[in-house]
Amino acid sequence: MTGRVRDLALHLLDRQVVDTDGAAVGNVDDVELHVPEDGSPPYVIALLTGPQALGPRLGGRLGSWLVFWSHALSRHSGADPGRIGMELLTDLGAQVTVARSRVELGVHENEDRARTYFVERIPGARDARR
Amino acid sequence: MRGADLLGLPVVGPGGEDLGRVLDVRLVQDGPILGAFAALRIEGLVVGRRALAARLGYDRYDAQGPWLVAAGVARLTRGTRYLPWADLQLTDGEVRSQVADLGPVPKIA
């Protein structure tokens, strides 16, 4: 059986990830591969999102800067990127749809904290359309 | 292992000759079932020297319009080749092909 063919950079990286309500979750910044021990080809087991996935992909000073600040601002000591398991996907097309909300996924901790503690405290912010 | 770890890796032939860099990773959706879909399994690597032209994707599909753009990009990507996963070895910081002459990139239907 031959399945649908996609190229990683052309069809998957940088695609927008949305939840089932159409709300933006993030972008596909990288993918996690599982390498089977039997020597068969690796396959994608998760989409990675956020600066800790994008930084290493960009490389150079900009990539290091992204990873450093994301790590420094994080409440958790781990430097792992946001991870969305492939089993959560409901559609894989021009955009990627997942069966969880952004909050449930918890993949953008720093952005969510900035929204809660800074943006939403700006006068008039609560009146803005979400 | 991450997908982007493969992108940009230098590719060398059996005798150590330079074949270019990894421009893209060809995935086929026929791996183990993960949730609602079969997993995206790596089938091979797109190898070449012009990463920016390859990002447009003209080398992955049959010629499309506008013809002037298609012709120009086809010329820029004429050296792009395909390396099946079964014919390569991953070593420290490079991909070693077990064949010297790589075939053309299979077109996506």
Side-chain angles (χ1 to χ4, degrees):
Chain A
M1 183 185 75
T2 302
R4 185 170 175 184
V5 175
R6 289 182 174 86
D7 285 347
L8 176 65
L10 194 60
H11 299 117
L12 199 54
L13 294 183
D14 300 323
R15 293 289 164 110
Q16 189 168 36
V17 182
V18 297
D19 65 18
T20 46
D21 295 325
V25 171
N27 283 354
V28 180
D29 292 314
D30 205 343
V31 296
E32 182 180 326
L33 298 168
H34 174 69
V35 184
E37 291 182 3
D38 62 3
S40 56
Y43 56 87
V44 178
I45 56 168
L47 307 178
L48 304 177
T49 184
Q52 284 151 334
L54 182 61
R57 186 178 138 212
L58 292 177
R61 285 187 181 180
L62 178 60
S64 302
W65 184 85
L66 267 177
V67 171
F68 172 79
W69 281 107
S70 176
H71 185 65
L73 293 171
S74 174
R75 279 182 173 172
H76 302 103
S77 57
D80 295 331
R83 183 181 185 280
I84 302 170
M86 293 298 280
E87 68 278 4
L88 298 178
L89 268 58
T90 58
D91 188 35
L92 187 55
Q95 61 186 13
V96 179
T97 308
V98 293
R100 295 284 189 281
S101 71
R102 176 192 173 105
V103 175
E104 288 173 319
L105 290 167
V107 292
H108 289 294
E109 178 199 22
N110 290 339
E111 277 186 44
D112 292 341
R113 281 174 56 215
R115 181 181 299 110
T116 302
Y117 294 109
F118 181 69
V119 177
E120 289 185 352
R121 293 183 180 186
I122 298 173
R126 290 182 189 278
D127 298 330
R129 283 179 178 267
R130 282 182 175 265
Chain B
M1 182 179 177
R2 292 188 186 181
D5 293 341
L6 296 170
L7 298 174
L9 282 180
V11 182
V12 298
E17 64 274 24
D18 176 24
L19 298 178
R21 289 184 175 271
V22 177
L23 302 182
D24 213 333
V25 179
R26 174 63 51 95
L27 304 167
V28 180
Q29 197 166 4
D30 64 358
I33 299 296
L34 299 174
F37 299 105
L40 296 163
R41 174 187 60 82
I42 295 183
E43 191 185 61
L45 304 176
V46 178
V47 178
R49 301 179 193 283
R50 296 181 185 269
L52 191 59
R55 288 282 286 177
L56 297 173
Y58 277 85
D59 54 338
R60 263 44 86 69
Y61 294 94
D62 283 327
Q64 306 159 54
W67 70 268
L68 189 61
V69 175
V73 176
R75 183 175 170 80
L76 287 174
T77 58
R78 65 185 184 278
T80 305
R81 292 288 181 266
Y82 186 69
L83 174 57
W85 189 260
D87 292 340
L88 66 82
Q89 282 185 322
L90 276 178
T91 57
D92 284 340
E94 70 177 17
V95 176
R96 183 170 289 270
S97 170
Q98 294 171 343
V99 292
D101 292 322
L102 304 184
V105 181
K107 303 294 183 189
I108 298 174

